[in-house]
Amino acid sequence: MPDAEDVRRIALSLPDTTEKIAWSMPTFRVAGKMFATLPEDETSIAVRCPKEERDELVLAEPEKFWTADHEAQFAWVRARLDAIEDEAELRDILADSWRQAAPPRLMDAHPELGLPGTG
């Protein structure tokens, strides 16, 4: 089961990613744009996710994914770390969120991160 340190290590391994404390929690940003947070007690992550996909994820795997009330109007989803299978799944989730925030120049420079499951 991945933990907060795995989130930190994997997120910071993605190109041009930095960690910054905001709202009293660690946030991870690519080229200054936030793509992941470690909210509250660091037992979950919040990541970018298109609303249509988010709703499908939450319905399909409610034990893993949910939407926080204050994030409902935004394209973000939460994932419980203890429900994530392994580091590979965590990396896929973080890389997918990174792709949504990364500028085109980084996507062009890192084509291996262009498709889910290939990073």
Side-chain angles (χ1 to χ4, degrees):
M1 167 182 71
D3 62 18
E5 286 309 309
D6 295 321
V7 171
R8 182 170 281 110
R9 179 176 44 79
I10 293 168
L12 291 173
S13 76
L14 296 168
D16 203 17
T17 294
T18 58
E19 181 175 351
K20 178 181 178 181
I21 300 296
W23 306 286
S24 301
M25 72 178 113
T27 67
F28 300 92
R29 299 160 188 259
V30 56
K33 196 170 180 183
M34 193 165 45
F35 72 91
T37 68
L38 270 166
E40 289 88 37
D41 59 3
E42 298 188 353
T43 61
S44 67
I45 56 174
V47 292
R48 290 176 173 268
C49 184
K51 287 182 184 178
E52 309 76 40
E53 291 177 28
R54 176 189 70 193
D55 295 344
E56 290 175 18
L57 279 174
V58 170
L59 284 173
E61 298 184 81
E63 71 288 347
K64 186 180 297 184
F65 298 104
W66 87 99
T67 304
D69 291 341
H70 67 279
E71 295 168 343
Q73 72 270 30
F74 303 108
W76 286 78
V77 69
R78 299 271 182 112
R80 292 173 183 84
L81 291 176
D82 64 0
I84 294 174
E85 291 179 30
D86 54 26
E87 282 193 27
E89 183 181 21
L90 177 60
R91 181 170 177 77
D92 285 346
I93 291 168
L94 289 169
D96 184 57
S97 187
W98 180 91
R99 283 190 295 277
Q100 293 176 59
R105 68 176 171 78
L106 281 176
M107 293 295 295
D108 292 345
H110 299 279
E112 75 278 8
L113 293 171
L115 297 171
T118 61

